[in-house]
């Protein structure tokens, strides 16, 4: 028996999930010690409750997916709107190096998936589904490429399989990032700036999302202006998605939302000399991030994950180990073996197994405890949300041509 929750009820339940997560993280010591993000903690409780209702009474709650998509686009738009060229230049060589590290990881992730699938007697393309298609790509990429694999390569149930793998990655990415970064910080005796950033004034140039619980003073006028900017980003994303559908430059809608934000922000900055209100963008972006994650985990169907085939569970388990090992021994060392590198590792685990919102939540959990990491919050959102999707699309096409 399916129970459909409409838009308003979905939003109410998402808010409850966030409040429960906040309560649990504050009251349960090991959640704080392992830096589990609040949306992940509350979302897993909701998912377990849904699983219990399904197991006991056959009830399958479903939630308004359009609301989840809308808040995801708001989050990615906020990344673009906060990325003026001055901030991108500030990312500098670190952004390029981190991008190269992640590109190599995509090749490793797909190679591991294909090799394990072949060794277990599966179609090698199933290894791609349990590789960067779903883990780096997330639910949107899983749906898009799953359709291609079903229609053009005869992989039955590729979309369902992809959604299940992406869901697994979203949860695991939120569970391993914080503990890994904490282990690196303690093992190497690293220290962030003094204080967690939750009190005192924000520094000039502080990247968005860095201090989600920080009080930000905004006005009604700034709120209206910011809403208009977000509406512009979403309109641009919708237009470009429709114009490029079926072409060589077809990209996920959230990439166009981010690109629209970058375009609008820098046109206003450098052509019209209009001062964009970063604090309002930060508030909207953090709210969008939290609600998106809450709805994503609220919609988690654990009974579908329980039905994954044994070989696929093996592949995903190995991918989790590979992700943690690569971040801890490659990403951390290449990025400088310092505190910023440890926070970058938390972010890498987030979008390497799940999605960019998970990466940001992972980093927030670390910086709330150990202190700010401006470098990580400049680099990870842009790499995880924009550059990596372009690289991933090319890598997937190459692997499909070779093994398809």
């Amino acid at each position: 028996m399916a129970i459909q929750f409409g838009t308003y009820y979905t939003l109410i339940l998402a808010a409850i999930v966030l409040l429960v997560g906040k309560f649990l993280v504050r009251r349960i010591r090991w959640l704080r010690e392992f830096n589990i993000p609040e949306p992940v903690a509350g979302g897993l409780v909701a998912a377990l409750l849904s699983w219990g209702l399904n197991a006991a009474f056959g009830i399958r709650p479903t939630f308004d997916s359009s609301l989840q998509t809308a808040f995801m686009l708001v989050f990615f738009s906020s990344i673009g709107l906060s990325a003026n060229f001055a901030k991108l230049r500030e990312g500098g060589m670190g952004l390029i190096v981190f991008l190269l590290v992640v590109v190599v990881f995509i090749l490793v992730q797909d190679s591991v998936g294909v090799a394990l699938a072949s060794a277990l007697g599966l179609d090698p393309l199933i290894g791609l589904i349990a590789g960067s298609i779903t883990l780096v790509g997330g639910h949107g990429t899983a749906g898009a490429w799953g359709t291609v694999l079903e229609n053009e390569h005869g992989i039955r149930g590729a979309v369902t399989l992809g959604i299940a793998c992406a869901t697994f990655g979203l949860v695991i990415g939120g569970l391993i990032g914080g503990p890994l970064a904490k282990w690196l910080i303690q093992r190497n005796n690293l220290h962030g700036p003094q204080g967690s950033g939750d009190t005192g004034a924000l520094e000039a140039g502080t990247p968005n999302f860095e201090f989600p619980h920080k009080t930000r003073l905004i006005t009604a006028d700034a709120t209206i202006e910011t809403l208009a900017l977000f509406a512009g980003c979403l309109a641009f994303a919708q237009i470009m998605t429709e114009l490029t559908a079926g072409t060589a430059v077809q990209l996920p809608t959230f990439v166009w939302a981010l690109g629209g934000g970058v375009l609008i922000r820098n046109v206003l900055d450098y052509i019209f000399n209009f001062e964009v209100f970063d604090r309002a963008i930060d508030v909207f972006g953090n709210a969008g991030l939290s609600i998106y994650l809450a709805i994503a985990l609220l919609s988690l169907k654990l009974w579908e994950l329980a039905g994954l085939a044994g070989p696929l569970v093996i592949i995903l388990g190995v991918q989790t180990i590979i992700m943690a090992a690569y971040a801890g021994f490659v990403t951390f060392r290449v990025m400088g073996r310092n505190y910023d590198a440890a926070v970058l590792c938390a972010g890498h685990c987030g979008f390497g197994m799940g999605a960019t919102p998970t990466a940001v939540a992972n980093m927030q959990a670390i910086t709330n405890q150990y202190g700010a990491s401006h470098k990580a919050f400049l680099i990870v959102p842009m790499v995880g949300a924009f550059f990596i999707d372009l690289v991933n699309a090319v890598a997937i096409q190459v692997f499909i041509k070779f093994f398809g």
Side-chain angles (χ1 to χ4, degrees), residues 186-202:
Q186 294 180 343
R187 177 182 174 84
N188 295 277
N189 195 28
L190 303 175
H191 301 281
Q194 293 296 318
S196 67
D198 286 338
T199 58
L202 282 175

Side-chain angles (χ1 to χ4, degrees), residues 5-66:
F5 289 93
T7 302
Y8 303 133
Y9 295 105
T10 298
L11 184 58
I12 291 169
L13 290 173
I16 293 173
V17 164
L18 293 173
L19 292 173
V20 169
K22 185 176 182 178
F23 174 82
L24 291 175
V25 170
R26 286 188 174 182
R27 292 300 182 92
I28 301 177
R29 182 177 178 181
W30 69 267
L31 289 176
R32 294 194 305 275
E33 289 183 346
F34 285 97
N35 301 106
I36 304 301
E38 294 172 2
V40 174
L44 286 178
V45 171
L48 288 171
L49 181 60
S50 294
W51 175 79
L53 290 173
N54 179 262
F57 307 106
I59 297 174
R60 292 177 295 168
T62 56
F63 303 91
D64 185 9
S65 60
S66 63

Side-chain angles (χ1 to χ4, degrees), residues 213-269:
H213 301 302
K214 177 70 183 176
T215 299
R216 289 162 171 79
L217 302 178
I218 61 175
T219 64
D221 288 341
T223 300
I224 294 170
E225 291 172 0
T226 304
L227 280 173
L229 295 178
F230 277 99
C233 293
L234 300 185
F236 177 83
Q238 183 180 35
I239 292 170
M240 294 305 297
T241 299
E242 294 174 355
L243 287 178
T244 60
T247 68
V249 292
Q250 180 177 348
L251 293 170
T253 304
F254 72 83
V255 176
W256 289 120
L258 186 149
V262 174
L263 180 64
I264 292 172
R265 171 63 187 263
N266 288 282
V267 166
L268 291 176
D269 275 352

Side-chain angles (χ1 to χ4, degrees), residues 10-361:
T10 298
L11 184 58
I12 291 169
L13 290 173
I16 293 173
V17 164
L18 293 173
L19 292 173
V20 169
K22 185 176 182 178
F23 174 82
L24 291 175
V25 170
R26 286 188 174 182
R27 292 300 182 92
I28 301 177
R29 182 177 178 181
W30 69 267
L31 289 176
R32 294 194 305 275
E33 289 183 346
F34 285 97
N35 301 106
I36 304 301
E38 294 172 2
V40 174
L44 286 178
V45 171
L48 288 171
L49 181 60
S50 294
W51 175 79
L53 290 173
N54 179 262
F57 307 106
I59 297 174
R60 292 177 295 168
T62 56
F63 303 91
D64 185 9
S65 60
S66 63
L67 196 61
Q68 178 182 343
T69 301
F71 280 106
M72 178 187 70
L73 294 178
V74 166
F75 166 71
F76 284 108
S77 297
S78 70
I79 294 176
L81 288 171
S82 63
N84 64 354
F85 291 141
K87 288 185 178 180
L88 292 178
R89 286 196 301 268
E90 191 176 339
M93 186 56 66
L95 189 148
I96 296 173
V97 173
F98 186 67
L99 177 60
L100 292 175
V101 168
V102 175
V103 168
V104 173
F105 174 72
I106 288 177
L107 300 177
V108 170
Q109 192 173 65
D110 283 337
S111 298
V112 168
V114 168
L116 286 174
S118 300
L120 294 169
L122 303 175
D123 190 311
L125 294 182
I126 293 180
L128 280 183
I129 297 176
S132 72
I133 287 180
T134 61
L135 300 182
V136 169
H139 287 81
T141 307
W145 282 104
T147 303
V148 172
L149 293 176
E150 283 186 0
N151 297 336
E152 299 181 14
H153 299 275
I155 307 296
R156 297 179 60 184
V159 173
T160 302
L161 198 63
I163 296 300
C165 290
T167 303
F168 173 89
L170 185 70
V171 175
I172 294 299
L175 291 177
I176 67 173
L180 175 64
K182 181 182 180 71
W183 178 76
L184 290 170
I185 290 169
Q186 294 180 343
R187 177 182 174 84
N188 295 277
N189 195 28
L190 303 175
H191 301 281
Q194 293 296 318
S196 67
D198 286 338
T199 58
L202 282 175
E203 301 174 24
T206 297
N208 284 11
F209 313 112
E210 190 161 1
F211 304 127
H213 301 302
K214 177 70 183 176
T215 299
R216 289 162 171 79
L217 302 178
I218 61 175
T219 64
D221 288 341
T223 300
I224 294 170
E225 291 172 0
T226 304
L227 280 173
L229 295 178
F230 277 99
C233 293
L234 300 185
F236 177 83
Q238 183 180 35
I239 292 170
M240 294 305 297
T241 299
E242 294 174 355
L243 287 178
T244 60
T247 68
V249 292
Q250 180 177 348
L251 293 170
T253 304
F254 72 83
V255 176
W256 289 120
L258 186 149
V262 174
L263 180 64
I264 292 172
R265 171 63 187 263
N266 288 282
V267 166
L268 291 176
D269 275 352
Y270 296 103
I271 296 181
F272 294 99
N273 199 29
F274 178 83
E275 185 177 354
V276 175
F277 203 69
D278 280 308
R279 285 180 294 176
I281 292 172
D282 199 6
V283 169
F284 278 85
N286 273 302
L289 164 67
S290 296
I291 296 175
Y292 162 74
L293 284 175
I295 297 175
L297 291 169
L298 191 64
S299 305
L300 180 60
K301 297 177 176 61
L302 290 177
W303 54 90
E304 291 183 357
L305 294 182
L308 288 175
L312 198 61
V313 172
I314 293 173
I315 296 174
L316 292 173
V318 172
Q319 292 284 30
T320 302
I321 296 171
I322 294 294
M323 176 74 261
Y326 188 93
F329 293 102
V330 178
T331 306
F332 179 66
R333 294 175 184 234
V334 173
M335 296 310 297
R337 297 175 60 93
N338 53 23
Y339 175 71
D340 287 326
V343 179
L344 283 169
C345 287
H348 190 185
C349 288
F351 70 77
M353 289 296 292
T356 302
T358 309
V360 174

